Amino acid sequence: PPFLNCICHGVILDATGQKLSKRLNNYADPLELFEKYGADALRVTMLSSTVVKGQELLIDKDGKMVFDSLRLFIKPIWNAYHFFCLYANIDKIQAQMIFKSENVLDRYIISKLKIAVTAIEKNMDSYDSSSSYEVISSFFEVLNNWYIRRSRARFWKSDQDKDKLDSYNTLYSCIVTMTKAVSSLLPLIAEHIYLGLNPHEKSVHLTDFPKLEEIKIEHELVAVMDQVLDICSTALFIRSAENIRVRQPLAMIKIIAENSSKFQDFADLIKDAVVLPWAFICA
């Protein structure tokens, strides 16, 4: 056959629905967008939208959509990298690529890492870039707002015990692995972060796509922990709706769920996330 895959996209329009054209001058200068927000931000805006599936894309001349991609998609990736560098440099720790730990948070995020990398590979094999970006965004949402947030006390320990080293190794391994997995989708920031963590390497684009055969996904742990995240998110939503300040301790929360005993091992995580002395879990 003359080709195996045919890739096409929809029409890009301005905010009023008119097709972009030089005559109307109704589009932002790409070079100005690169200078202001970075090329990866524009790449995310385009390749994560429905335009890659043949639908129309309305993009404003001021580049607000590109800024939103920078703020909502790229910044969380940078925040995880910045957090690691900040505290690893303070503690003078040289982390290693290790995917084993006894800590439940480490085991959870390592399993989520393999799930994410596997999904990215599957989507890219199907030329589905928008779904790949969704996977990346979801992973870093969990990495930043759950794993790092719930592990801060481990990073801040004065003693460099095994648990603290495990947290650094796990975070380092997650970030390095994801830079390899997303290098074709975020080539510039992936390169910057990878070389920042591996200064003696030549380029992330000369590495192989991660296979992670040594990681065995703990599906049951992932399922329960995802439910714990939902519990905490719901509790925080209720706090906000009732105008209860986030750091104001609650007397208690009642969690009603089937097979509630599975949450008992995560009671401390729930209490820490929701800010309360104790939780009552019932079936």
Side-chain angles (χ1 to χ4, degrees), residues 11-261:
V11 180
I12 302 176
L13 310 173
D14 66 12
T16 65
Q18 291 191 336
K19 188 175 180 180
L20 303 188
S21 70
K22 293 182 179 179
R23 179 179 62 83
L24 296 175
N25 190 29
N26 57 347
Y27 60 91
D29 186 338
L31 295 180
E32 292 182 2
L33 292 177
F34 295 161
E35 180 68 24
K36 192 172 184 180
Y37 304 121
D40 278 349
L42 182 58
R43 180 179 284 103
V44 172
T45 303
M46 295 294 186
L47 296 184
S48 66
S49 73
T50 55
V51 74
V52 295
K53 297 183 178 181
Q55 301 182 31
E56 295 178 345
L57 171 64
L58 275 67
I59 187 166
D60 60 294
K61 188 175 181 180
D62 295 331
K64 185 179 182 299
M65 289 181 65
V66 182
F67 171 70
D68 287 341
S69 295
L70 175 66
R71 178 175 61 90
L72 301 175
F73 189 94
I74 293 180
K75 188 177 180 181
I77 299 174
W78 184 263
N79 287 344
Y81 169 64
H82 179 264
F83 178 92
F84 173 83
C85 291
L86 177 64
Y87 291 102
N89 289 333
I90 291 174
D91 291 326
K92 298 180 180 179
I93 289 179
Q94 181 62 53
Q96 302 177 27
M97 288 286 288
I98 298 176
F99 297 105
K100 291 183 179 180
S101 174
E102 297 177 359
N103 186 282
V104 67
L105 285 168
D106 294 342
R107 290 161 46 208
Y108 168 71
I109 201 64
I110 288 171
S111 290
K112 294 287 281 188
L113 174 67
K114 182 166 184 177
I115 292 171
V117 170
T118 302
I120 292 171
E121 182 176 23
K122 179 181 178 181
N123 292 330
M124 294 302 290
D125 285 345
S126 302
Y127 299 90
D128 187 355
S129 63
S130 58
S131 294
S132 294
Y133 282 114
E134 290 178 8
V135 172
I136 298 167
S137 180
S138 297
F139 176 79
F140 279 97
E141 170 74 18
V142 174
L143 185 69
N144 281 299
N145 295 326
W146 184 253
Y147 176 76
I148 291 179
R149 188 167 292 180
R150 301 279 72 81
S151 299
R152 283 179 297 189
R154 302 169 62 204
F155 289 102
W156 295 344
K157 286 180 180 179
S158 57
D159 297 330
Q160 293 193 11
D161 58 6
K162 183 179 183 302
D163 185 55
K164 179 170 183 171
L165 293 176
D166 284 344
S167 65
Y168 274 108
N169 289 336
T170 298
L171 182 55
Y172 172 83
S173 300
C174 286
I175 297 175
V176 171
T177 301
M178 284 301 289
T179 60
K180 295 178 181 180
V182 308
S183 59
S184 60
L185 297 164
L186 298 162
L188 300 182
I189 190 173
E191 178 80 333
H192 186 91
I193 292 176
Y194 181 79
L195 294 181
L197 296 176
N198 301 276
H200 302 297
E201 297 289 335
K202 291 184 177 180
S203 172
V204 69
H205 303 293
L206 297 177
T207 63
D208 294 331
F209 190 89
K211 293 301 181 183
L212 305 181
E213 295 176 352
E214 67 270 41
I215 298 177
K216 182 179 180 180
I217 300 175
E218 298 185 58
H219 292 284
E220 184 175 351
L221 171 61
V222 170
V224 176
M225 188 71 83
D226 284 346
Q227 288 182 295
V228 171
L229 265 73
D230 290 338
I231 290 170
C232 295
S233 297
T234 302
L236 292 172
F237 175 80
I238 296 172
R239 289 186 69 115
S240 178
E242 297 294 328
N243 293 318
I244 302 174
R245 290 180 292 110
V246 174
R247 304 314 301 175
Q248 179 180 339
L250 299 175
M252 81 168 187
I253 64 171
K254 183 182 292 186
I255 302 168
I256 301 175
E258 296 180 356
N259 302 321
S260 58
S261 59

